[in-house]
Amino acid sequence: MMREVEGCRAALTDARLLVLILLLTAAMGSAMAQQPDDAGAPAWGSLNEEQHRILARFEDRWDEMPAERRRRLALGTERWFAMSPAERAAAGERFRQWRNLSDEERGRIRERYETFRELPAEERERIRRNYRRFGELSEERREELRKRWRSLTPEQRQGIRERMRERRPQRGR
């Protein structure tokens, strides 16, 4: 009985992991999918045992899949295995949140992600730094800032964005 329960748990974990990897690969965007060649796309036989286990449902059609999708799936499994248990738990929670979003919300997020990807590298890094700094604040301070931002009118928010853009070159970066 215990062995069956453990087997069910493992299957459920594998299924969740596969869905998470699919989400991660989809989030990587379509920019890389524009590469027409098959260079760098892993063959099924080149994947390791753990990747085979996670990606088993794709084995029959692996060779027919677009090269970019195969690359992203393989990369997603590598990223998953490199995560700590805490990182995996956080990724699982983000996936649960993603599943609960409406199609419109997901569409807006995808659009914002594409906009972010189109930014210059230094601008993306600046945004990442600010995001990390925000995450280091206490929950109370983060909530206070969120409330302040939500209380602004769209015009006020746009004014802040414009002032931030104007200030950037003055920082000597």
Side-chain angles (χ1 to χ4, degrees):
M1 176 77 173
M2 192 62 161
R3 193 177 264 167
E4 289 175 19
V5 170
E6 289 175 9
C8 289
R9 284 185 184 152
L12 184 56
T13 299
D14 287 351
R16 287 179 181 155
L17 175 59
L18 179 59
V19 171
L20 180 62
I21 288 170
L22 291 172
L23 177 64
L24 289 170
T25 59
M28 293 174 114
S30 61
M32 293 176 69
Q34 296 172 0
Q35 299 172 359
D37 66 345
D38 230 24
W44 182 258
S46 70
L47 300 176
N48 65 40
E49 196 173 306
E50 290 177 318
Q51 288 173 310
H52 280 166
R53 184 174 54 82
I54 299 302
L55 300 173
R57 68 182 336 167
F58 298 109
E59 181 177 10
D60 293 343
R61 60 183 188 274
W62 186 260
D63 292 332
E64 289 84 41
M65 291 171 59
E68 184 51 37
R69 182 144 190 238
R70 287 182 280 153
R71 276 192 287 269
R72 290 188 320 215
L73 284 168
L75 178 62
T77 59
E78 290 172 12
R79 289 178 61 196
W80 178 261
F81 294 126
M83 289 181 183
S84 69
E87 290 170 325
R88 287 181 184 185
E93 178 57 31
R94 286 190 302 273
F95 176 67
R96 280 185 284 284
Q97 291 172 353
W98 176 260
R99 274 194 324 212
N100 291 329
L101 296 176
S102 68
D103 290 340
E104 295 80 24
E105 290 170 313
R106 289 180 194 172
R108 281 194 302 272
I109 290 170
R110 286 184 183 109
E111 287 173 14
R112 289 180 189 154
Y113 179 72
E114 285 303 315
T115 301
F116 175 79
R117 287 182 51 120
E118 293 169 1
L119 294 172
E122 65 272 359
E123 181 71 4
R124 290 192 310 264
E125 184 54 37
R126 184 191 65 78
I127 291 169
R128 286 184 183 111
R129 276 194 313 271
N130 286 340
Y131 181 78
R132 283 191 295 269
R133 282 187 14 223
F134 182 79
E136 292 169 359
L137 297 173
S138 70
E139 182 58 39
E140 295 81 21
R141 179 69 175 140
R142 287 194 309 256
E143 190 55 36
E144 177 186 328
L145 291 172
R146 285 183 193 111
K147 285 179 183 176
R148 284 177 51 193
W149 181 256
R150 287 184 208 121
S151 71
L152 299 174
T153 66
E155 294 79 17
Q156 290 171 319
R157 291 179 188 179
Q158 187 59 35
I160 291 172
R161 289 182 187 110
E162 289 171 7
R163 285 193 301 277
M164 293 300 289
R165 282 189 202 106
E166 291 168 5
R167 287 175 40 190
R168 280 185 218 133
Q170 298 171 1
R171 292 183 179 176
R173 291 185 183 189

